[in-house]
Amino acid sequence: MTKNALKQRVFDVISKAEEGDRASRAFDLTVMALILLSVAMIVLESFADLAARFGTLFSVCEAIIAAVFTAEYALCIWTADLLYPGEEHPWRKYVLSPMALVDLLAIAPFYLPMLGIRFLRTLRLLRLFRLLRVFKLHRYFDALQIVVDVLRSSASQLIISIFLCLFVMLFSAIVMYTVENPVQPEQFPNVIASLWWAICTLTTVGYGDVYPVTAVGRLFASVISLVGIGIIAIPTGIIAAGFSTAINERGRRRDEDARLYCPYCGRRLGK
Amino acid sequence: MTKNALKQRVFDVISKAEEGDRASRAFDLTVMALILLSVAMIVLESFADLAARFGTLFSVCEAIIAAVFTAEYALCIWTADLLYPGEEHPWRKYVLSPMALVDLLAIAPFYLPMLGIRFLRTLRLLRLFRLLRVFKLHRYFDALQIVVDVLRSSASQLIISIFLCLFVMLFSAIVMYTVENPVQPEQFPNVIASLWWAICTLTTVGYGDVYPVTAVGRLFASVISLVGIGIIAIPTGIIAAGFSTAINERGRRRDEDARLYCPYCGRRLGK
Amino acid sequence: MTKNALKQRVFDVISKAEEGDRASRAFDLTVMALILLSVAMIVLESFADLAARFGTLFSVCEAIIAAVFTAEYALCIWTADLLYPGEEHPWRKYVLSPMALVDLLAIAPFYLPMLGIRFLRTLRLLRLFRLLRVFKLHRYFDALQIVVDVLRSSASQLIISIFLCLFVMLFSAIVMYTVENPVQPEQFPNVIASLWWAICTLTTVGYGDVYPVTAVGRLFASVISLVGIGIIAIPTGIIAAGFSTAINERGRRRDEDARLYCPYCGRRLGK
Amino acid sequence: MTKNALKQRVFDVISKAEEGDRASRAFDLTVMALILLSVAMIVLESFADLAARFGTLFSVCEAIIAAVFTAEYALCIWTADLLYPGEEHPWRKYVLSPMALVDLLAIAPFYLPMLGIRFLRTLRLLRLFRLLRVFKLHRYFDALQIVVDVLRSSASQLIISIFLCLFVMLFSAIVMYTVENPVQPEQFPNVIASLWWAICTLTTVGYGDVYPVTAVGRLFASVISLVGIGIIAIPTGIIAAGFSTAINERGRRRDEDARLYCPYCGRRLGK
């Protein structure tokens, strides 16, 4: 087997599996299993007793997973010229692609402690990037594209509705602080604490750890709760309209060829 | 009455009632009453004092209900050749139909203890299948079809939005565990417990049994609550768009007769 | 002034005010003020100290309000032949109209104690019908018609989604009772108590008075919370689609005359 | 530089920045920074320790911010004739414009204590108007216009749905008071307290500070919770339909050039 044929074979295997390509399929399943194992380990490590008993096992698994994904990352760079044929710097293009950056961030936490940076708490937070590996699954779901498209096309309206939401939250936090602080100084010590109440209320989560007790506070909270319905209704409405438009658009495109011309007289129809 | 005429009569009775067929109508009402009685009994049996006083009555009712539905199941198999005329193995086709499998699962819990399997806790869980009988009611509601169609047609997008939702939940559970575990070790002992918080928050249920108390935790919970609005908005938007399309589609089909012909040459259009 | 002219004048006054008719406008404002006063009194009577101090005042006000609305009801019957011209039994038609039945129910609670029926608790509940008077306001809002139309046109789908919702609630109540009853017998004593939890969770209210504590219970509650998003999304989607269709329908009707024909060559356009 | 040229320059600077106008851009960024600083200070002042240590600094900042916005307000009045060319009383028109009223209200709280009105609590509430300055940001977001248009076009339906919502809230508050008051007199002392429960439940916030404990109360609360889903679904549906229509309208307008002409005779269509 020549070097080029080997490279082509490797590229086929690490790319999305085609029908009948057993090695490629096995590779994909292994990757998915390792992602799930990696996620499961983050969860299991958090149990103090499991961490104490199986700590070494977890470390070994982590090393193996990191090694596999590092190897895959290296192979992807090697075969980048097959992914982007005719590109001058194919591996540079690959390394800077969003997918590859996510892959790199997902591997990074494993190597960072080796660089001498051993701040434990920070490291544990960095490990969260490992979760981004899960996003690899999105290669397999085309429907995600529609969801992303809808969110992107209505992004400016969504941002404005989030801005309105934040304004209402800050406004109601300051009002509630002014009203409730003298009565419950330990529950509403400052505007930030009051903001916690405002967010819990406007998103209708309502933990019940902080709530108004004065008549004025309750009246205001009632009005804000009703506004909260609107705050939720606006982004829902924007997203619903986005999906409605996207689905109609697809349907229209499908029907367009068949409807634009009368198939008998050949004339273009009005619509 | 010949055997065939009897069979035809039985089939008519156990099928959906036609206008004026009194026996068939009475049968349908009896079945519906038994379903409601069966459901009511599950609820009533859970009251310790009622179970103690009316235990025997409940057992007798249960036996009668199981007998009726077993008889109906048998009659359905017998008349399967009238339901699927021209089929080679009509009763096999009936037994494997989703409706018949639901019926079988609904009868099964009654007979299982007779097979010697008497693990009490398991048996109580198996009884839940009886609830599936309720689904028999769906023969009577055509509108359910639209709801099911909409959910099916937008299934892939709904699955993706559930996937995104689970990703956000796991991500926020791990962040919150890292932030809150040192301060409230008994409330956030591990990632699974933290996941319970994340689900309560993102679905905006907000029981209030677990909530962050640190500043960083509250800041993060605030961001996650806002994301939660989006998490709810996406499936709502998808389903709303689906219903909108379904209703328009029905309206378009109704109008189609007027549109099927080219208004200029008068010929029937292809589609 | 002849009797007929007087009747016509009375009818004009008690009907919806026309531009420039001062007496009619004054009547409408009086009625609205009495409705608001009547509602305010229900609220104020509930304060023990106010009821003790102003009890007599409340009774007098109530008598006056009841008298005014009784008189209005009588006048409406008297002028019913002007409301339904050409009808054989105009007052009978008026009395059986939904609006008049609501009016009658709103007056009834005042006269019932005079009939010797003085069960105090029941009477207090009957007074709730007085609230229905508020509905008189809907004569002034045409937009209510659209809301009602949308709810009516999507009624069958909404009923099915409520049915699905109740099924999921009952199902999850029984599962949760089975799982949590042995651990928290006082919180989940029977299926009805468990149903209270299920409703609080699926509607995302989440009071936090009852919640699962076992691992299995929490896992199941998590799944049910996610299903809850769908349970809310389905009616929202149905209603959104209904409004979308209603608004488009109105727009289409308005545009139809202008678009059906090319105004120059006179031919019917394709669409 | 003549007075007119200076005035024109000032007007250009305080108006929205055009591409390449550095002074205008710098002015806009300064204004935005002062708005954010102003909001941040409201939050920081609420911390008792920060208010004690940096009280003087806060006062100085507040004075500077008030001075800048007062100057801007004065300059806007001066250049009003350039904003409304050909208007007889341009500065009067400016002063009465909604934007200018908001600006005035945002400056007012600073000058009010100088007028001798020093009721401290009131003054703190008046400071809330400062938040309105944030709305100045909306000059920079065009998407807000769509959100406002949608809310305005569906205003009458939204008002009706809020009215229905308030009716249901009042109704359920009175029922719940009647049912729960004898059992929990301290939780449901009067209809207003009961209304607090009703609002928390119908908006699905569910703090959990007040909830029914009687069987009848829970049954009623369950029904009301389900109604609450509808109460939220109606405004969401209205807004979703509004956005759907607005987006389609924009799309239709874009397509209109292609449709404005009759495809057969080639003449421009009326609409």
Side-chain angles (χ1 to χ4, degrees):
Chain A
M1 201 189 266
T2 67
K3 189 190 158 190
N4 272 357
L6 175 69
K7 196 177 199 171
Q8 183 64 49
R9 185 68 195 128
V10 166
F11 177 71
D12 287 350
V13 168
I14 65 180
S15 301
K16 202 181 155 188
E18 273 176 48
E19 196 74 34
D21 187 342
R22 284 182 149 195
S24 179
R25 192 151 186 77
F27 179 81
D28 280 5
L29 290 175
T30 309
V31 164
M32 206 180 297
L34 287 179
I35 289 169
L36 293 177
L37 176 63
S38 164
V39 171
M41 266 173 39
I42 301 179
V43 172
L44 294 175
E45 276 173 358
S46 75
F47 286 81
D49 49 344
L50 290 180
R53 283 178 59 190
F54 302 108
T56 324
L57 180 63
F58 288 153
S59 303
V60 171
C61 283
E62 211 176 314
I64 292 169
I65 292 169
V68 170
F69 283 113
T70 309
E72 193 217 6
Y73 188 74
L75 289 176
C76 279
I77 290 179
W78 182 46
T79 61
D81 52 345
L82 295 173
L83 186 63
Y84 303 110
E87 195 74 28
E88 205 178 348
H89 301 292
W91 69 268
R92 196 184 294 171
K93 181 160 181 162
Y94 172 73
V95 167
L96 296 173
S97 69
M99 189 71 72
L101 287 171
V102 165
D103 282 1
L104 188 62
L105 281 170
I107 311 170
F110 182 73
Y111 294 104
L112 287 187
M114 299 186 175
L115 299 172
I117 310 163
R118 287 187 177 274
F119 305 113
L120 271 174
R121 287 189 62 84
T122 320
L123 198 144
R124 273 156 81 197
L125 268 173
L126 274 173
R127 268 185 198 153
L128 292 175
F129 289 115
R130 268 202 271 166
L131 269 182
L132 294 175
R133 281 179 202 161
V134 175
F135 264 129
K136 277 196 178 167
L137 292 167
H138 94 142
R139 290 181 193 163
Y140 304 97
F141 296 114
D142 289 338
L144 182 60
Q145 198 55 46
I146 297 173
V147 174
V148 170
D149 283 354
V150 166
L151 292 179
R152 192 179 290 164
S153 73
S154 45
S156 65
Q157 291 164 35
L158 284 174
I159 288 167
I160 273 298
S161 68
I162 288 169
F163 174 78
L164 280 176
C165 183
L166 291 175
F167 176 79
V168 172
M169 279 171 180
L170 193 51
F171 175 80
S172 49
I174 295 172
V175 171
M176 202 46 105
Y177 163 74
T178 315
V179 171
E180 292 284 326
N181 174 266
V183 181
Q184 320 185 70
E186 73 294 337
Q187 301 278 32
F188 292 89
N190 50 55
V191 169
I192 294 293
S194 185
L195 200 56
W196 170 246
W197 165 83
I199 290 167
C200 282
T201 301
L202 279 167
T203 58
T204 76
V205 170
Y207 287 124
D209 53 340
V210 190
Y211 49 83
V213 295
T214 65
V216 178
R218 289 193 164 187
L219 181 65
F220 183 72
S222 302
V223 174
I224 286 298
S225 297
L226 286 176
V227 171
I229 294 181
I231 292 291
I232 293 174
I234 290 175
T236 305
I238 291 170
I239 291 174
F243 275 108
S244 215
T245 308
I247 289 172
N248 284 341
E249 196 67 29
R250 277 201 305 171
R252 207 182 297 163
R253 244 177 256 159
R254 224 174 20 211
D255 295 354
E256 210 138 76
D257 288 334
R259 286 199 190 160
L260 273 177
Y261 302 92
C262 167
Y264 304 104
C265 71
R267 286 212 229 180
R268 205 174 186 283
L269 294 175
K271 204 217 140 147
Chain B
M1 198 188 267
T2 66
K3 190 190 159 191
N4 273 355
L6 175 68
K7 197 177 199 171
Q8 182 66 47
R9 184 71 193 125
V10 166
F11 177 71
D12 288 349
V13 168
I14 63 177
S15 302
K16 202 180 156 189
E18 273 176 47
E19 196 73 33
D21 187 341
R22 283 183 149 195
S24 179
R25 191 152 186 78
F27 178 81
D28 279 6
L29 290 176
T30 310
V31 164
M32 206 178 300
L34 288 180
I35 290 170
L36 293 177
L37 177 63
S38 164
V39 170
M41 266 172 39
I42 300 180
V43 173
L44 295 175
E45 277 174 356
S46 74
F47 286 81
D49 50 345
L50 289 180
R53 282 179 59 191
F54 301 108
T56 323
L57 180 62
F58 288 153
S59 302
V60 171
C61 283
E62 212 177 314
I64 292 170
I65 292 170
V68 170
F69 284 111
T70 309
E72 192 216 7
Y73 188 75
L75 288 176
C76 280
I77 290 178
W78 182 46
T79 61
D81 52 345
L82 295 173
L83 186 62
Y84 304 108
E87 194 76 25
E88 205 178 348
H89 299 293
W91 68 268
R92 195 183 293 169
K93 181 160 180 162
Y94 172 74
V95 167
L96 295 174
S97 70
M99 188 72 70
L101 288 171
V102 165
D103 282 2
L104 187 62
L105 282 170
I107 311 170
F110 182 74
Y111 294 104
L112 287 187
M114 300 187 173
L115 298 173
I117 310 163
R118 287 186 177 273
F119 306 113
L120 271 173
R121 288 189 61 84
T122 319
L123 197 143
R124 274 155 81 196
L125 269 172
L126 275 173
R127 270 186 196 152
L128 293 175
F129 288 115
R130 269 201 270 166
L131 270 182
L132 294 174
R133 282 179 202 161
V134 175
F135 263 128
K136 277 195 179 167
L137 293 166
H138 93 142
R139 291 181 192 163
Y140 304 97
F141 296 114
D142 288 339
L144 183 61
Q145 198 56 45
I146 296 172
V147 175
V148 170
D149 283 354
V150 167
L151 292 179
R152 192 180 291 166
S153 75
S154 45
S156 64
Q157 291 164 34
L158 285 173
I159 288 168
I160 273 298
S161 68
I162 288 169
F163 175 78
L164 279 177
C165 183
L166 291 175
F167 177 80
V168 172
M169 279 171 179
L170 193 51
F171 175 80
S172 49
I174 295 172
V175 170
M176 201 49 103
Y177 162 75
T178 314
V179 171
E180 293 284 326
N181 174 267
V183 181
Q184 316 185 74
E186 74 293 337
Q187 300 279 33
F188 292 90
N190 50 55
V191 170
I192 293 294
S194 184
L195 200 56
W196 170 247
W197 165 83
I199 289 166
C200 283
T201 301
L202 279 166
T203 58
T204 78
V205 170
Y207 287 124
D209 53 340
V210 190
Y211 49 83
V213 294
T214 64
V216 177
R218 288 193 165 188
L219 181 66
F220 183 71
S222 301
V223 174
I224 286 300
S225 297
L226 287 175
V227 171
I229 293 180
I231 292 291
I232 292 174
I234 290 175
T236 306
I238 291 169
I239 290 174
F243 275 108
S244 214
T245 308
I247 289 172
N248 285 340
E249 197 66 30
R250 277 201 304 171
R252 206 183 296 164
R253 244 177 255 157
R254 229 175 13 215
D255 296 353
E256 212 138 74
D257 286 337
R259 290 193 192 162
L260 274 176
Y261 303 90
C262 169
Y264 307 102
C265 69
R267 287 208 228 179
R268 208 174 185 285
L269 295 174
K271 203 223 140 148
Chain C
M1 199 188 270
T2 65
K3 190 191 158 191
N4 272 357
L6 175 68
K7 196 177 201 171
Q8 182 65 47
R9 184 71 194 125
V10 166
F11 177 70
D12 288 349
V13 167
I14 63 178
S15 301
K16 202 180 157 188
E18 273 178 47
E19 196 73 33
D21 186 341
R22 282 185 151 193
S24 178
R25 192 154 185 76
F27 178 82
D28 279 5
L29 290 175
T30 310
V31 164
M32 208 180 296
L34 288 179
I35 289 169
L36 293 177
L37 177 63
S38 163
V39 171
M41 266 172 37
I42 301 180
V43 173
L44 294 174
E45 278 174 356
S46 76
F47 286 81
D49 50 345
L50 290 180
R53 285 179 57 190
F54 302 109
T56 322
L57 180 64
F58 288 154
S59 303
V60 172
C61 283
E62 212 177 313
I64 292 171
I65 291 169
V68 170
F69 284 112
T70 309
E72 191 217 7
Y73 188 74
L75 290 175
C76 279
I77 290 177
W78 183 45
T79 61
D81 51 346
L82 295 173
L83 186 63
Y84 304 108
E87 195 75 26
E88 204 179 348
H89 300 294
W91 70 267
R92 194 183 295 169
K93 181 162 181 162
Y94 172 75
V95 167
L96 296 173
S97 69
M99 188 72 70
L101 288 171
V102 166
D103 281 3
L104 187 62
L105 282 171
I107 311 169
F110 182 73
Y111 294 105
L112 286 187
M114 299 187 174
L115 298 172
I117 310 162
R118 287 188 177 274
F119 305 112
L120 272 172
R121 288 188 62 85
T122 319
L123 197 142
R124 273 156 81 196
L125 268 172
L126 274 173
R127 267 183 198 154
L128 293 175
F129 289 115
R130 267 202 270 167
L131 270 182
L132 293 175
R133 282 180 201 161
V134 174
F135 263 128
K136 278 197 178 164
L137 293 166
H138 93 143
R139 290 182 193 161
Y140 304 96
F141 297 114
D142 289 339
L144 182 61
Q145 198 55 46
I146 296 172
V147 175
V148 170
D149 283 354
V150 166
L151 291 179
R152 191 180 292 164
S153 75
S154 43
S156 64
Q157 291 163 35
L158 284 173
I159 288 168
I160 274 298
S161 67
I162 289 168
F163 174 77
L164 280 176
C165 183
L166 291 175
F167 176 80
V168 171
M169 279 170 180
L170 194 52
F171 175 80
S172 48
I174 295 172
V175 170
M176 201 47 104
Y177 163 74
T178 314
V179 170
E180 293 283 326
N181 174 267
V183 180
Q184 316 186 73
E186 74 292 338
Q187 301 277 34
F188 293 90
N190 51 56
V191 169
I192 293 293
S194 184
L195 201 55
W196 170 246
W197 164 83
I199 289 167
C200 283
T201 301
L202 279 167
T203 58
T204 77
V205 170
Y207 288 123
D209 54 339
V210 190
Y211 48 83
V213 294
T214 64
V216 178
R218 290 192 163 187
L219 180 67
F220 183 72
S222 303
V223 174
I224 285 299
S225 298
L226 287 175
V227 172
I229 293 180
I231 292 291
I232 292 174
I234 290 174
T236 306
I238 292 169
I239 290 174
F243 275 107
S244 215
T245 308
I247 289 173
N248 284 341
E249 196 67 29
R250 279 200 304 169
R252 208 184 294 164
R253 246 178 254 157
R254 221 171 27 208
D255 296 354
E256 209 139 74
D257 288 333
R259 288 200 189 158
L260 273 177
Y261 301 92
C262 167
Y264 304 104
C265 72
R267 287 210 226 182
R268 205 171 187 285
L269 294 174
K271 202 213 141 155
Chain D
M1 199 188 268
T2 67
K3 190 191 157 190
N4 271 357
L6 175 67
K7 197 177 199 171
Q8 181 66 47
R9 184 68 194 126
V10 166
F11 177 71
D12 287 351
V13 168
I14 63 179
S15 302
K16 201 180 158 189
E18 273 175 48
E19 197 74 33
D21 187 341
R22 283 183 149 193
S24 179
R25 191 152 187 78
F27 178 81
D28 279 6
L29 290 175
T30 310
V31 165
M32 207 179 298
L34 288 179
I35 289 170
L36 293 177
L37 177 63
S38 164
V39 170
M41 266 172 39
I42 302 180
V43 173
L44 295 174
E45 278 174 357
S46 74
F47 286 81
D49 50 345
L50 290 180
R53 284 177 59 190
F54 301 109
T56 324
L57 179 63
F58 288 153
S59 303
V60 172
C61 283
E62 211 177 313
I64 293 171
I65 291 169
V68 170
F69 283 113
T70 309
E72 192 217 7
Y73 188 75
L75 289 175
C76 279
I77 291 178
W78 183 44
T79 61
D81 51 345
L82 296 173
L83 186 63
Y84 304 109
E87 194 74 27
E88 206 179 348
H89 300 293
W91 68 267
R92 196 183 295 169
K93 181 160 180 162
Y94 172 74
V95 167
L96 296 174
S97 68
M99 189 70 72
L101 289 171
V102 165
D103 281 2
L104 188 62
L105 282 171
I107 311 169
F110 182 72
Y111 295 104
L112 287 187
M114 299 186 174
L115 298 173
I117 310 162
R118 286 186 179 274
F119 305 112
L120 271 174
R121 288 188 61 85
T122 320
L123 198 143
R124 273 157 80 196
L125 268 172
L126 274 173
R127 267 185 199 151
L128 293 175
F129 288 115
R130 267 202 271 167
L131 269 183
L132 293 175
R133 280 180 200 159
V134 175
F135 262 128
K136 278 196 177 166
L137 292 167
H138 94 142
R139 291 181 192 162
Y140 304 96
F141 297 114
D142 289 338
L144 182 62
Q145 198 54 46
I146 296 172
V147 174
V148 170
D149 283 355
V150 166
L151 291 179
R152 191 180 292 165
S153 74
S154 45
S156 64
Q157 291 163 35
L158 285 173
I159 289 167
I160 274 298
S161 69
I162 288 168
F163 174 78
L164 280 177
C165 182
L166 291 175
F167 176 79
V168 171
M169 280 170 179
L170 194 52
F171 175 80
S172 49
I174 296 172
V175 170
M176 201 46 105
Y177 163 74
T178 316
V179 171
E180 293 283 326
N181 175 267
V183 181
Q184 319 186 71
E186 74 292 337
Q187 302 277 34
F188 292 90
N190 50 56
V191 168
I192 293 293
S194 186
L195 200 56
W196 171 246
W197 165 83
I199 289 167
C200 282
T201 301
L202 278 167
T203 59
T204 76
V205 170
Y207 288 124
D209 53 340
V210 191
Y211 49 83
V213 295
T214 65
V216 178
R218 290 192 164 186
L219 181 65
F220 183 72
S222 302
V223 174
I224 286 298
S225 297
L226 287 176
V227 172
I229 293 181
I231 293 290
I232 293 175
I234 290 174
T236 305
I238 292 169
I239 291 174
F243 276 107
S244 214
T245 309
I247 288 173
N248 284 341
E249 196 65 31
R250 279 201 303 171
R252 209 183 293 163
R253 245 178 254 159
R254 226 173 18 211
D255 296 354
E256 211 139 77
D257 287 336
R259 290 194 192 162
L260 275 175
Y261 303 91
C262 167
Y264 307 103
C265 70
R267 286 210 230 178
R268 206 175 185 286
L269 295 175
K271 205 224 140 146

